[in-house]
Amino acid sequence: MLKIAISGSTGRMGLALTNAISKDKDFKLIGGVASESNSNIGKDLGEIAGEERIGVVLSSKLSDLPEVDVLLDFSEAKFSLKCVEYAKNHNTALLLGTTGYQESDFSNIEEASKLIPLLKAPNTSMGIAYLKKVIDLTSDSLSYFDNLQISEKHHKDKKDLPSGTSLDLANFLSERLLRESPINIDSERAGDLAGEHKIILSNDLERIELSHKALDRSIYAQGALIGAKWLKSKPNGLYSMSDIYSWIARNML
């Protein structure tokens, strides 16, 4: 049984993770943290998520966490960097689902990954991992198209714009095309959308769209738990969700 703690426990992903863990015997939630101003500090994590009480209360301090196998971070960039330091100092595997980092933050993340297994996952959907796999398999043909752009839609409360997933996809595409000019990203924030990303390839005569649409936020929680299970067995290093695709095909399908 994998012992899990969640940073950002009361956010959309934190609640979805608590719900998912409550239904999965392979995991045990033993800690959760949020900012000091959070009105749920001191309350039971299960109760906060609308589940049965689990006897674990929400804290505002990472130092209150017991020893865990994997720390799942879905907070905000500023607090997330504290999680990086905590995981590094406590030799704890870390899954970073947080987005919105500054460019200067990535050096801290890379340095930490030399000491711990660290999975940087701006999107924990296995569908997005599959989409990137498709891009990898066809990257030698992408230059046929003159125009390349990304379109993304998220709920109205999502703070980072463009999304971390869109930036990750743009970087992924640029690396495979050896492209220096930035890829245009069209962003929309509306309603309660769980997330939609579309890669558009076109020229004067043809247009191809590769798209992924999240129908329920539970897919991100499921993907994060798959990532946590995979990460615990890995040596120190910086990983992405694409790295675990072959393992999923062998062990989960």
Side-chain angles (χ1 to χ4, degrees):
M1 182 179 291
L2 214 59
K3 295 180 290 184
I4 299 292
I6 303 171
S7 165
S9 295
T10 63
R12 292 171 186 260
M13 267 302 298
L15 296 175
L17 280 166
T18 301
N19 293 144
I21 290 171
S22 71
K23 300 174 178 63
D24 194 324
K25 295 181 180 179
D26 289 339
F27 301 91
K28 183 176 182 179
L29 182 58
I30 64 171
V33 290
S35 65
E36 291 181 350
S37 60
N38 195 295
S39 60
N40 289 295
I41 297 296
K43 295 182 181 179
D44 187 273
L45 292 176
E47 201 169 43
I48 293 171
E51 304 283 350
E52 294 181 359
R53 293 175 63 87
I54 62 173
V56 181
V57 299
L58 179 68
S59 174
S60 63
K61 298 178 181 179
L62 286 163
S63 58
D64 288 342
L65 292 178
E67 183 177 343
V68 300
D69 293 315
V70 184
L71 174 60
L72 306 179
D73 174 58
F74 289 86
S75 56
E76 295 181 351
K78 186 176 180 179
F79 192 82
S80 179
L81 294 175
K82 295 180 181 179
C83 293
V84 172
E85 285 300 307
Y86 173 87
K88 181 176 68 173
N89 294 333
H90 289 78
N91 195 30
T92 301
L94 174 64
L95 187 153
L96 285 180
T98 297
T99 57
Y101 297 106
Q102 300 296 315
E103 192 65 33
S104 57
D105 297 334
F106 294 120
S107 60
N108 292 332
I109 293 171
E110 290 176 4
E111 283 300 312
S113 71
K114 297 176 182 178
L115 301 173
I116 59 172
L118 197 158
L119 176 58
K120 185 173 172 291
N123 188 306
T124 52
S125 157
M126 296 319 308
I128 289 290
Y130 178 78
L131 179 61
K132 292 172 77 172
K133 185 71 172 179
V134 170
I135 294 170
D136 244 349
L137 293 172
T138 59
S139 59
D140 59 340
S141 304
L142 294 178
S143 58
Y144 168 74
F145 299 95
D146 300 325
N147 301 307
L148 174 60
Q149 67 181 95
I150 295 172
S151 171
E152 54 111 340
K153 300 178 181 179
H154 285 88
H155 60 85
K156 60 182 177 59
D157 296 321
K158 187 170 179 62
K159 295 180 180 180
D160 52 327
L161 189 154
S163 70
T165 302
S166 294
L167 293 172
D168 182 57
L169 287 172
N171 182 62
F172 191 79
L173 287 163
S174 294
E175 287 178 349
R176 278 142 188 81
L177 288 170
L178 301 177
R179 176 174 173 150
E180 296 183 2
S181 58
I183 295 173
N184 180 58
I185 301 175
D186 179 45
S187 302
E188 180 181 337
R189 299 289 179 266
D192 193 39
L193 296 170
E196 183 176 343
H197 296 85
K198 187 181 296 183
I199 297 170
I200 303 167
L201 310 163
S202 64
N203 54 34
D204 291 339
L205 299 175
E206 296 180 276
R207 176 184 174 104
I208 290 178
E209 297 183 357
L210 304 172
S211 66
H212 173 269
K213 185 174 183 179
L215 304 180
D216 191 281
R217 284 189 184 84
S218 63
I219 64 169
Y220 303 123
Q222 292 169 2
L225 294 182
I226 291 172
K229 186 178 293 187
W230 177 86
L231 186 64
K232 179 57 182 172
S233 65
K234 302 305 292 183
N236 300 343
L238 183 61
Y239 303 99
S240 72
M241 291 298 288
S242 298
D243 293 324
I244 73 175
Y245 189 80
S246 297
W247 179 84
I248 293 168
R250 292 195 305 269
N251 295 275
M252 307 295 290
L253 301 181

